[in-house]
Amino acid sequence: EVQLVESGGGLVQPGGSLRLSCAASGFTFDDYALGWFRQVPGRDREGVACLTTADDNTYYPVSAKGRFTISSDKFKNMWYLQMNSLKPEDTGVYYCATGPSIWCIPDEYDNWGQGTQVTVSS
């Protein structure tokens, strides 16, 4: 059974940084896509970073590019989201997920963590 657990969320001031972690069990990284998604009340869940393990290609939306970085550690069965220069609009619940697709959209991912809250506020 695939299980994912996020950690590292919290309260941070604008301009600050956070590093989120996802601990995975029950699967191997090969041929999977790894993702981070953000949920804001009243809005669709949005991909903020995705990585294809076969070739280490990454995807970031315009809103995150240059500020967010996704990385993975296959030996530890973990992946991470480094978030720098955080803005209030980055506030939301962040989920890690896995799926078989190269597309960084929620419908293409089938295993999800429980989410971790990130709040950017002064």
Side-chain angles (χ1 to χ4, degrees):
E1 180 180 354
V2 176
Q3 291 187 321
L4 309 177
V5 180
E6 302 96 337
S7 62
L11 175 64
V12 64
Q13 293 185 340
S17 298
L18 283 175
R19 189 188 190 220
L20 307 183
S21 299
C22 183
S25 63
F27 77 105
T28 58
F29 280 24
D30 292 350
D31 299 322
Y32 275 83
L34 313 175
W36 287 97
F37 296 81
R38 178 172 61 216
Q39 182 76 62
V40 178
R43 299 183 180 182
D44 292 335
R45 190 171 296 186
E46 174 189 25
V48 298
C50 293
L51 180 151
T52 50
T53 58
D55 54 12
D56 283 329
N57 280 349
T58 57
Y59 163 85
Y60 306 95
V62 172
S63 62
K65 189 173 297 183
R67 301 187 299 121
F68 291 10
T69 303
I70 186 172
S71 60
S72 66
D73 188 328
K74 183 177 181 179
F75 182 78
K76 295 182 178 179
N77 292 328
M78 298 185 70
W79 63 98
Y80 311 93
L81 182 66
Q82 179 67 45
M83 302 186 291
N84 299 324
S85 301
L86 283 163
K87 306 174 181 179
E89 51 263 43
D90 294 320
T91 295
V93 179
Y94 284 72
Y95 298 86
C96 64
T98 69
S101 177
I102 63 172
W103 305 110
C104 197
I105 56 176
D107 287 349
E108 297 295 327
Y109 286 73
D110 47 27
N111 295 294
W112 295 84
Q114 82 287 351
T116 185
Q117 176 72 41
V118 172
T119 302
V120 184
S121 177
S122 60

